[in-house]
Each structure stands twice: as C-alpha cells, then as structure tokens.
Amino acid sequence: MSIFRRVKKALGWEIRTAKPEYDLNPIIYSQLKPFRLPLVLVQVIMIVGTMGYILIDDFPILDAIYQTGITFTTVGFGEIAPISPAGRFFTVTLIIFGFALFTLSTAVLIDAVIKGKLFELYKERNMLYKIARLRQHFVIFYHNEYTAQLAKQFNDNHIPFVVVDPSEDIEDIAKEYNYPYFVKEEPYKELAFLKSHLSSAKGAISLSKNISDNITLIASVRLYEKELGRSPFLIISNAETQNEKIRLKKLGADKVVATPSLMAKRVSAMAIRPDMENVLDEFLYKPDTPIDMEEAFVDEDSWTVNREIKDLHLRDRMKVSVIGITEKKGRFIQMPKGTAVITPGCKLLLVGNQRGISKAKRIIALQEKPEDL
C-alpha cells in the first residue's frame, strides 16, 4: 500500500473505487452499433487500395497506403508517382467507393445523433460516476417546492444529496434550483435506487404531495434495505394531514412532517412566544452555527440575584438566550420572559454557541456586575 493510501486510510477518507451500481456502458455500446459497418468498410477499402497500387503499379507499401488514403478521401492532392492506365481506372473506382462510403457514414452519423440518445447517455454516465463518489448522502425523491427549499438548506449546510424525479426537464430544473446531483427515473423503482447509490446513503426523503407516492416509496426503500442486509435507512417524509402522518409512521417512516401542523406551530411561536422564534431563527436555521445547550448555576453571591433576565443582556452581547429556569425547589419555568427575576440557587438553561455560553457562565458567576454591562 502506498504512503498516500495509508494516509487516506488513517484519516478515514474514502479509498474505494467510485463505480456506479448501474452500468450504462452496454446501452452506450448499443448506440454505437450503426458505426461498425462504416468503420469496417474503411478498413476494407484501405487494404484493397493498398494492395491494388502495390500489384498494379509496384508502389512501395508506404506510398501505396498514402495514395489510397488521399484517393478515397477525395482530398485532391494528386498522384505521388506516375500511374499506369490500369492504375488510373483503379483510382477512379476507389474514388467512387470512397465517396459512397463517406455519404453512408454521414447518413449513419446524422441518424444516430437525431434518433439516438448517445449524448444524453454520456451525460448521464458522467453524473452517475459523480454520484458514486458520495457517501452518507441523502436521496430526495420527487421535485416540488418542498424539495427546492430543502435543497437550499442542504447546500447552505454542505450536506450532499441526490434528487430523483421522472420529469423530462429534470436537468433544467436541477440548474434552476441548484441540485448538484440528479437522476431522471421513477422514484419507487430499483433502478432509481441503483442510480442514486442509495446503498451508501444515510437516508431517503420522500416529499410527494400524494400520500400514495410516499407510501409506495417507503415500502420500496424498506424492502431494498432488507435485500442489502444493511442498517436501517433514515426515512423522512411529509404529510398533508395528521392522519396521514400517523399512517406513514406506521408503515416505516422514521420522521414525518405534517406541513400544516408545522406551519401552525411556527405561527403560534411567533404570536405567543416570540423569544422561541428568535432562538430558532438565530441558531437552528442559521447555517454554520452549531447550537449548544448548558445550565448555569446562580450562586447566592452572584451579582445577578434578584435582577431581571433582560438586565444580563445575554442575547444582545453574546447571542445567548435563556430558554428555561430551574428554581431551587425544582420547579421548571420554560421560556421565561425578560422580566423574570433570577433567584439564588436557581439554574439558567442557556442556548447558543459554545463561546457565547462560556462567556455568559463566567459573567453569571461574578459577584459584581461587569462595567461593560
């Protein structure tokens, strides 16, 4: 094993050959079949022409090959050596056959390009090789507005994903919504699983608005999972009603998001608990901002005792929010208001990034109020 491969293995990098599970080469070769006859005829004419010039006019073999090439391609370079009358008759015959061969080849090429799918197959094969390099990615089935929004979040957070959809214009859709990897296939078929390299994926996400599509996909993925004999996929789906959510979870979905219910909860949070909504926007939905949650004990000598939460200015200065208070007697207050009074011996549940929480805990532990507050 080379030093480079040893380093890659030590670091846990992927060293397996990135080869698609579905091979398009046989289909590509079948598209190239019409080119076989013109290529064979070219070789035959070159052999016949070379032998003819050698036998008729005693050309050296290299001169014979050269004369044959410039003759049957009709480039018009002329004779490289004097040719006898028999040789000229042979040359005319060679020109006629060469012209006929080029006409046939042009017709075959145009027919293959217009009627065939050679270019599309080459593009699809390149995409499959790119997908084969992915590991622990998500496969998102069906394109719609949910998929577009999820793709934006995944791209912002550098999460690899593949979109599978049967639409004829999926390539244009992928460009518009920035899908780096996509597969044009019926989502519930095994062919879609092979092309999207589902076997190495972390999970599958079905976002169809039709519950029948989601049910079919969940069942197909679970069946494929058993055939592979691998650990369970993480399956996430969406539902339009609460009843659909219950059905999908019973059928094998790990997580089901009921869109109307989720929207109602967010609106409720905005109206009733705006502080919680601020926490979600600041940490959970903000890319590249890891969220941490820790408790800060309030000692009896702390300067924060008998002060209101808003006096600490944690959110403004450290991007930290107090989302709960555990009183000394054990009673827990969730999402306290800014006017809530801090009592000695209580614990403040802080949420934010690690640096902000650490700084907030140091400030809470002080006996005197810092001057910068």
Side-chain angles (χ1 to χ4, degrees):
M1 184 182 295
S2 66
I3 296 177
F4 182 66
R5 289 176 65 84
R6 288 177 185 273
V7 172
K8 291 177 69 177
K9 186 176 181 180
L11 294 175
W13 295 354
E14 182 56 54
I15 61 175
R16 288 179 292 178
T17 302
K19 185 177 181 181
E21 294 181 343
Y22 184 74
D23 189 8
L24 282 175
N25 286 331
I27 302 177
I28 293 176
Y29 293 152
S30 67
Q31 294 286 318
L32 294 174
K33 283 183 178 179
F35 295 95
R36 293 179 181 177
L37 180 60
L39 290 175
V40 171
L41 291 177
V42 168
Q43 302 303 318
V44 171
I45 289 180
M46 286 296 298
I47 293 173
V48 171
T50 300
M51 295 301 298
Y53 284 117
I54 291 175
L55 296 175
I56 296 173
D57 287 316
D58 198 25
F59 274 29
I61 185 169
L62 289 179
D63 290 347
I65 293 174
Y66 179 74
Q67 184 66 49
T68 302
I70 64 175
T71 298
F72 96 89
T73 55
T74 65
V75 296
F77 283 175
E79 303 169 357
I80 62 173
I83 298 177
S84 64
R88 291 181 177 179
F89 178 79
F90 177 76
T91 299
V92 172
T93 305
L94 198 60
I95 291 174
I96 293 174
F97 276 99
F99 179 77
L101 175 60
F102 274 104
T103 303
L104 173 64
S105 300
T106 302
V108 169
L109 178 62
I110 293 174
D111 185 70
V113 171
I114 294 177
K115 296 183 179 180
K117 299 181 180 180
L118 191 58
F119 295 149
E120 288 78 5
L121 287 171
Y122 271 112
K123 288 195 294 185
E124 183 178 5
R125 188 179 70 169
N126 291 336
M127 177 61 68
L128 295 186
Y129 270 94
K130 293 178 182 178
I131 294 173
R133 299 189 185 100
L134 299 177
R135 295 294 181 272
Q136 294 298 301
H137 58 288
F138 282 94
V139 181
I140 306 176
F141 297 94
Y142 301 106
H143 161 76
N144 50 39
E145 60 268 29
Y146 302 149
T147 308
Q149 292 299 321
L150 179 59
K152 185 179 184 301
Q153 293 294 326
F154 275 4
N155 283 324
D156 290 343
N157 290 279
H158 313 293
I159 299 174
F161 65 95
V162 180
V163 176
V164 179
D165 191 87
S167 303
E168 292 293 333
D169 57 342
I170 183 61
E171 184 176 357
D172 296 331
I173 292 173
K175 291 179 180 178
E176 180 178 357
Y177 294 101
N178 196 21
Y179 299 160
Y181 309 101
F182 61 90
V183 171
K184 178 184 171 297
E185 198 60 62
E186 289 292 343
Y188 56 85
K189 291 184 178 179
E190 185 177 2
L191 193 59
F193 300 163
L194 294 174
K195 290 184 176 181
S196 62
H197 226 266
L198 183 61
S199 62
S200 65
K202 182 177 182 180
I205 303 175
S206 178
L207 295 178
S208 174
K209 295 183 178 181
N210 189 335
I211 188 174
S212 299
D213 292 336
N214 291 333
I215 290 173
T216 303
L217 186 64
I218 291 171
S220 300
V221 171
R222 289 302 183 206
L223 181 61
Y224 185 63
E225 173 188 289
K226 291 182 179 179
E227 293 177 355
L228 294 175
R230 57 154 283 168
S231 56
F233 290 108
L234 172 62
I235 300 181
I236 303 174
S237 185
N238 69 307
E240 295 299 317
T241 65
Q242 194 65 24
N243 289 335
E244 290 182 1
K245 178 179 179 179
I246 296 172
R247 289 175 61 189
L248 292 175
K249 294 199 75 171
K250 287 182 178 179
L251 290 169
D254 297 292
K255 304 288 183 181
V256 180
V257 178
T259 311
S261 175
L262 180 61
M263 183 181 68
K265 289 180 180 178
R266 289 299 303 272
V267 173
S268 175
M270 293 177 186
I272 301 174
R273 296 178 178 175
D275 288 341
M276 176 61 77
E277 182 66 19
N278 292 336
V279 170
L280 292 174
D281 289 334
E282 181 66 28
F283 299 107
L284 295 182
Y285 304 136
K286 188 175 181 180
D288 301 324
T289 305
I291 185 171
D292 287 290
M293 188 179 299
E294 292 186 25
E295 282 188 329
F297 179 74
V298 180
D299 191 76
E300 294 181 357
D301 297 330
S302 172
W303 71 274
T304 61
V305 172
N306 296 327
R307 294 179 182 270
E308 296 180 351
I309 292 178
K310 63 182 181 181
D311 294 333
L312 276 62
H313 303 286
L314 299 180
R315 184 179 302 159
D316 298 334
R317 296 179 178 270
M318 286 152 274
K319 302 298 182 182
V320 172
S321 297
V322 179
I323 64 172
I325 300 177
T326 303
E327 294 182 342
K328 190 174 182 179
K329 295 181 179 181
R331 188 171 72 97
F332 180 74
I333 303 173
Q334 62 177 353
M335 296 307 302
K337 295 182 179 180
T339 55
V341 178
I342 302 172
T343 57
C346 71
K347 295 179 181 178
L348 304 181
L349 184 58
L350 307 177
V351 63
N353 59 61
Q354 186 59 52
R355 177 182 295 181
I357 290 178
S358 298
K359 186 176 180 181
K361 291 175 71 174
R362 288 195 301 268
I363 291 176
I364 293 172
L366 296 176
Q367 294 183 2
E368 296 183 2
K369 180 180 179 181
E371 294 182 359
D372 57 351
L373 290 180

Short mmCIF file of all heavy atoms in Angstrom, two decimals, residues 30-31 34-35 107-121:
data_model
loop_
_atom_site.label_atom_id
_atom_site.label_comp_id
_atom_site.label_asym_id
_atom_site.label_seq_id
_atom_site.Cartn_x
_atom_site.Cartn_y
_atom_site.Cartn_z
N SER A 30 -24.55 -0.14 -27.53
CA SER A 30 -25.64 -0.45 -28.48
C SER A 30 -25.95 0.75 -29.38
O SER A 30 -26.33 0.58 -30.54
CB SER A 30 -26.90 -0.87 -27.72
OG SER A 30 -27.44 0.21 -26.98
N GLN A 31 -25.77 1.97 -28.84
CA GLN A 31 -25.97 3.17 -29.65
C GLN A 31 -24.86 3.35 -30.69
O GLN A 31 -25.06 4.03 -31.70
CB GLN A 31 -26.01 4.40 -28.74
CG GLN A 31 -27.20 4.46 -27.80
CD GLN A 31 -28.49 4.80 -28.51
OE1 GLN A 31 -28.52 5.68 -29.37
NE2 GLN A 31 -29.56 4.09 -28.19
N PRO A 34 -24.43 1.27 -35.13
CA PRO A 34 -24.51 1.72 -36.53
C PRO A 34 -23.18 2.18 -37.11
O PRO A 34 -23.03 2.23 -38.34
CB PRO A 34 -25.50 2.90 -36.46
CG PRO A 34 -26.33 2.64 -35.25
CD PRO A 34 -25.40 2.00 -34.29
N PHE A 35 -22.20 2.52 -36.28
CA PHE A 35 -20.91 2.99 -36.77
C PHE A 35 -19.98 1.83 -37.15
O PHE A 35 -18.91 2.06 -37.72
CB PHE A 35 -20.22 3.87 -35.72
CG PHE A 35 -20.95 5.14 -35.42
CD1 PHE A 35 -21.83 5.21 -34.36
CD2 PHE A 35 -20.77 6.26 -36.21
CE1 PHE A 35 -22.50 6.37 -34.07
CE2 PHE A 35 -21.45 7.43 -35.94
CZ PHE A 35 -22.32 7.49 -34.86
N ALA A 107 -24.75 9.79 -43.34
CA ALA A 107 -26.16 9.46 -43.09
C ALA A 107 -26.32 8.70 -41.77
O ALA A 107 -27.24 8.98 -40.98
CB ALA A 107 -26.71 8.63 -44.24
N VAL A 108 -25.40 7.75 -41.52
CA VAL A 108 -25.46 6.98 -40.27
C VAL A 108 -25.23 7.89 -39.06
O VAL A 108 -25.91 7.78 -38.04
CB VAL A 108 -24.42 5.84 -40.30
CG1 VAL A 108 -24.28 5.21 -38.92
CG2 VAL A 108 -24.81 4.79 -41.32
N LEU A 109 -24.26 8.81 -39.17
CA LEU A 109 -23.95 9.72 -38.08
C LEU A 109 -25.13 10.63 -37.76
O LEU A 109 -25.50 10.80 -36.60
CB LEU A 109 -22.72 10.56 -38.44
CG LEU A 109 -22.29 11.61 -37.41
CD1 LEU A 109 -21.92 10.94 -36.10
CD2 LEU A 109 -21.14 12.44 -37.94
N ILE A 110 -25.74 11.21 -38.79
CA ILE A 110 -26.88 12.10 -38.58
C ILE A 110 -28.04 11.33 -37.96
O ILE A 110 -28.71 11.82 -37.04
CB ILE A 110 -27.31 12.74 -39.92
CG1 ILE A 110 -26.21 13.70 -40.41
CG2 ILE A 110 -28.63 13.50 -39.75
CD1 ILE A 110 -26.49 14.27 -41.79
N ASP A 111 -28.30 10.12 -38.46
CA ASP A 111 -29.39 9.32 -37.92
C ASP A 111 -29.16 8.97 -36.45
O ASP A 111 -30.08 9.01 -35.63
CB ASP A 111 -29.54 8.04 -38.74
CG ASP A 111 -30.75 7.22 -38.31
OD1 ASP A 111 -31.89 7.66 -38.55
OD2 ASP A 111 -30.54 6.12 -37.72
N ALA A 112 -27.90 8.62 -36.11
CA ALA A 112 -27.59 8.26 -34.73
C ALA A 112 -27.72 9.45 -33.79
O ALA A 112 -28.17 9.32 -32.65
CB ALA A 112 -26.18 7.68 -34.64
N VAL A 113 -27.34 10.65 -34.28
CA VAL A 113 -27.41 11.84 -33.44
C VAL A 113 -28.85 12.30 -33.26
O VAL A 113 -29.27 12.66 -32.14
CB VAL A 113 -26.57 12.98 -34.05
CG1 VAL A 113 -26.81 14.28 -33.31
CG2 VAL A 113 -25.09 12.61 -34.01
N ILE A 114 -29.64 12.26 -34.34
CA ILE A 114 -31.03 12.75 -34.27
C ILE A 114 -31.93 11.77 -33.52
O ILE A 114 -32.68 12.15 -32.63
CB ILE A 114 -31.57 13.01 -35.68
CG1 ILE A 114 -30.81 14.17 -36.33
CG2 ILE A 114 -33.07 13.33 -35.62
CD1 ILE A 114 -31.23 14.44 -37.76
N LYS A 115 -31.86 10.49 -33.89
CA LYS A 115 -32.77 9.50 -33.30
C LYS A 115 -32.23 8.87 -32.02
O LYS A 115 -33.00 8.42 -31.17
CB LYS A 115 -33.06 8.40 -34.32
CG LYS A 115 -33.81 8.89 -35.55
CD LYS A 115 -34.12 7.73 -36.48
CE LYS A 115 -34.89 8.19 -37.72
NZ LYS A 115 -35.21 7.07 -38.63
N GLY A 116 -30.95 8.81 -31.90
CA GLY A 116 -30.35 8.16 -30.74
C GLY A 116 -30.25 9.06 -29.53
O GLY A 116 -30.64 10.23 -29.55
N LYS A 117 -29.74 8.50 -28.44
CA LYS A 117 -29.59 9.24 -27.19
C LYS A 117 -28.14 9.16 -26.70
O LYS A 117 -27.89 9.07 -25.50
CB LYS A 117 -30.53 8.67 -26.14
CG LYS A 117 -32.00 8.77 -26.51
CD LYS A 117 -32.87 8.19 -25.41
CE LYS A 117 -34.34 8.30 -25.77
NZ LYS A 117 -35.21 7.73 -24.70
N LEU A 118 -27.22 9.20 -27.66
CA LEU A 118 -25.82 8.99 -27.31
C LEU A 118 -25.29 10.08 -26.38
O LEU A 118 -24.68 9.79 -25.35
CB LEU A 118 -24.98 8.93 -28.59
CG LEU A 118 -23.53 8.44 -28.43
CD1 LEU A 118 -23.49 7.06 -27.83
CD2 LEU A 118 -22.81 8.48 -29.76
N PHE A 119 -25.54 11.34 -26.71
CA PHE A 119 -25.04 12.44 -25.90
C PHE A 119 -25.69 12.44 -24.51
O PHE A 119 -25.03 12.68 -23.49
CB PHE A 119 -25.28 13.78 -26.59
CG PHE A 119 -24.51 13.94 -27.88
CD1 PHE A 119 -25.01 14.68 -28.94
CD2 PHE A 119 -23.27 13.34 -28.02
CE1 PHE A 119 -24.29 14.83 -30.12
CE2 PHE A 119 -22.54 13.47 -29.19
CZ PHE A 119 -23.05 14.21 -30.24
N GLU A 120 -27.01 12.15 -24.47
CA GLU A 120 -27.70 12.10 -23.19
C GLU A 120 -27.16 10.99 -22.32
O GLU A 120 -27.02 11.14 -21.10
CB GLU A 120 -29.20 11.90 -23.40
CG GLU A 120 -29.94 13.12 -23.94
CD GLU A 120 -29.73 13.31 -25.44
OE1 GLU A 120 -29.09 12.43 -26.06
OE2 GLU A 120 -30.19 14.33 -25.98
N LEU A 121 -26.83 9.85 -22.94
CA LEU A 121 -26.29 8.73 -22.18
C LEU A 121 -24.91 9.06 -21.61
O LEU A 121 -24.59 8.68 -20.48
CB LEU A 121 -26.20 7.49 -23.07
CG LEU A 121 -27.54 6.82 -23.41
CD1 LEU A 121 -27.34 5.75 -24.47
CD2 LEU A 121 -28.16 6.21 -22.16
#
